[in-house]
Amino acid sequence: MKKYTITVLLLIAAGLYLGYLSIKQSATIDESVYLKTSESVRFLKTLDNSINLLLFKLNYEKASAYTTLNQLNDSISTEFDELRFEALFEEIERSPDLDAKAEDFGDNLIAKQRSTEQFVEQQKNLRALDKKLNRLYREIQVLIDTDRDNQEADQDKTSTKTLVEDLLKTKINFYLFLETLSPERKDLLNDSLAKLASNIEDVEFEERAVISEYADTLATIITTKELVQKYFEEAVAASTTERLDAFEQSYANFHNGQINESKKFRTVLIIYGSVLLAILIIFAYLLRRQYLNLEQQVKDRTEKIAVAYNELKESQEQLIQSEKMASLGEMVAGIAHEINTPLGYVNGNVNTIQTNMATDFDELNTAIRMAYKEARKPDRDAKKLSQLFTTVLKVYQRIEIDGVMDENKALLKDSNHGLGEISGLVQSLKNFSRLDRQAVENANIHDCIESSIKIASHHIKQNNVEIEKDYGDIPEIGCTPSKLNQLFLNVITNACQAMKDNGGTLSITTKENKEFLDIIFTDQGYGMDEDTIQKMFDPFFTTKPIGEGTGLGMSISYKIVKEHKGYIGAESKPNEGTSILIQLPLNADNT
């Protein structure tokens, strides 16, 4: 009995010890640290993405948000330091892998920030040099104009004309080089600079000095622009996101390891309880409490998952709208060009009408006023009044013969047409980007396609694309027009970009196909292989160079079609064009 008691006491002591170890291990798993770390990592990713987007804007849109970029860099450094040295200090001390991943991300972040600082510095230098270049070009123009006025010999005029042509060619090649930064454009620019240098020996010393300074400034800009591009590519290519993912995964592994260790102790306790029934009573309360704790954790996690799901759903909607706004931003320059064309001839027409009013009609008005004053006099001179009326008739006859009235009417009609085109573009842009048209309504697909074509008009003209329409007799369908606008714009834009080298025809066909409405876009672009077709709807997959595409366009298009319970597919072969088939149900509940 004594031995049994001692054995039982030892088993109870062992059970108590195991219980103590289990509680201690559970205490090391701090869920608040895990949630804070996850939130901090998401915030770091957001900051990193914001920095990358701002770098693209600074490089391609000539933005000047350097202060914002510095603030973002400071924020990401501060956030990572707080995460590393405060929230996860103990975890990093206990995990060599987590420490290595944190060190790796920190080093990569410093390298990226160093490249970013170099990029900003060279970008500022480039803008200062560009101002200097414009100033020198204006000075050269003034000197050449002055010299041209003083020259009398034909040979000298020819020399000046050659110099002007060389300057113009140099400037054109310079801007072509800035657009592409290709070696071929650089060689053409260097050839232009060399030719310019060889043709300034016969000009005046003052002109020669300014032109030499202009050429030197151009050469400096070439070097600076290449440095800007180099540091930009280094900053963008820095794999901070991948390293942050590795750091997050390492922490998740560490956290899961702690949970697994805790589970091991629980398993031992369960086995221990099954072996010794007496100790089961002692551990029953602990097991019950742990069970309730786990149940509460499951409930809490379920609520968090529900919240996360709702946030994800909202994020998806925001992502669609963000891509739509990005597409619209890409079209802004083209739309501005489309507006400027009718605006230009409206302005010219108004000026012509104003000129007509300021000459012919002012003369007619003056003659009528003089006749009117003479007619009102009590002692009016009949002969003078007759002469004044004769003058009025002659002026009116000249206006009638010259067709000024008809010309003004034609100009006003032409101007009204131009204003109508501008109004149509503005209305299309407004309808396309409205956020309040998210509800399902009956709409004509042809209207959605035409709106998208109008928004993409600059892309279409820029890439020498002709639109060929084969619209069938189709009914209205229940849909979300704003989302279909985004879908069609993505497809049309991709087709235009696929034909940017040689141009071509984009055929758009609509027809009713049993229970579906078929919309077919067929281009004559460079096409795709089978592997690309399989991946084209994957998020972030793109065949475009860095900076020219997010890889979200077709993924969002796929999601929009699925939301409408439809189908989207592609048929293509390399160098044989691509055909995109979109099928939308004629009768479907898309609510």
Side-chain angles (χ1 to χ4, degrees), residues 13 19 27-28 49 75 91 120 125 224 278 365 393 425 437 544 590:
T28 63
N49 289 333
S75 297
E91 285 80 357
V120 170
N125 292 339
T224 305
N365 187 44
L393 292 175
L425 277 169
R437 296 187 62 191
K544 301 173 185 175
N590 295 318

Side-chain angles (χ1 to χ4, degrees), residues 417-548:
H417 174 71
L419 292 174
E421 288 187 358
I422 295 174
S423 177
L425 277 169
V426 172
Q427 187 62 39
S428 295
L429 183 61
K430 179 182 177 182
N431 292 339
F432 187 90
S433 60
R434 281 179 60 183
L435 296 175
D436 57 350
R437 296 187 62 191
Q438 297 295 321
V440 175
E441 59 183 71
N442 288 331
N444 191 319
I445 295 300
H446 294 161
D447 294 339
C448 296
I449 295 175
E450 291 298 327
S451 177
S452 301
I453 290 175
K454 202 146 194 174
I455 294 298
S457 59
H458 184 64
H459 257 309
I460 294 170
K461 294 178 181 178
Q462 188 180 42
N463 295 298
N464 297 320
V465 175
E466 294 185 3
I467 303 297
E468 184 179 275
K469 304 171 188 174
D470 183 13
Y471 291 166
D473 185 11
I474 59 174
E476 292 185 347
I477 64 170
C479 62
T480 307
S482 60
K483 292 186 177 181
L484 290 186
N485 286 341
Q486 177 68 28
L487 165 65
F488 297 145
L489 179 62
N490 289 343
V491 176
I492 293 171
T493 301
N494 282 352
C496 291
Q497 291 172 345
M499 294 184 283
K500 64 181 180 180
D501 293 332
N502 301 313
T505 300
L506 173 59
S507 300
I508 305 176
T509 303
T510 62
K511 60 183 179 179
E512 189 175 348
N513 182 9
K514 297 181 180 179
E515 298 180 356
F516 289 91
L517 174 61
D518 288 357
I519 307 105
I520 306 169
F521 295 84
T522 304
D523 64 56
Q524 297 175 338
Y526 44 73
M528 299 178 288
D529 56 27
E530 189 64 31
D531 185 56
T532 302
I533 293 175
Q534 295 297 325
K535 297 178 181 178
M536 65 181 295
F537 298 115
D538 293 345
F540 304 106
F541 173 77
T542 179
T543 59
K544 301 173 185 175
I546 295 176
E548 293 188 13

Side-chain angles (χ1 to χ4, degrees), residues 177-233:
F177 166 74
L178 289 183
E179 288 180 0
T180 62
L181 298 180
S182 66
E184 294 80 7
R185 294 295 185 188
K186 183 177 180 182
D187 291 339
L188 288 175
L189 179 56
N190 287 330
D191 291 341
S192 298
L193 288 173
K195 187 176 180 182
L196 181 64
S198 65
N199 289 334
I200 64 173
E201 297 299 325
D202 298 330
V203 301
E204 295 294 333
F205 176 79
E206 184 178 3
E207 294 179 7
R208 190 186 313 163
V210 176
I211 293 173
S212 297
E213 186 178 1
Y214 177 83
D216 293 339
T217 304
L218 264 180
T220 305
I221 287 179
I222 293 172
T223 303
T224 305
K225 181 60 179 179
E226 290 175 341
L227 288 174
V228 167
Q229 193 64 22
K230 171 189 172 184
Y231 291 125
F232 168 75
E233 291 174 356

Side-chain angles (χ1 to χ4, degrees), residues 329-360:
E330 188 178 327
M331 302 299 172
V332 163
I335 292 175
H337 176 78
E338 294 299 319
I339 290 176
N340 280 335
T341 299
L343 188 61
Y345 65 74
V346 168
N347 186 48
N349 292 346
V350 171
N351 288 336
T352 303
I353 294 172
Q354 186 177 10
T355 301
N356 291 340
M357 295 295 294
T359 54
D360 297 322

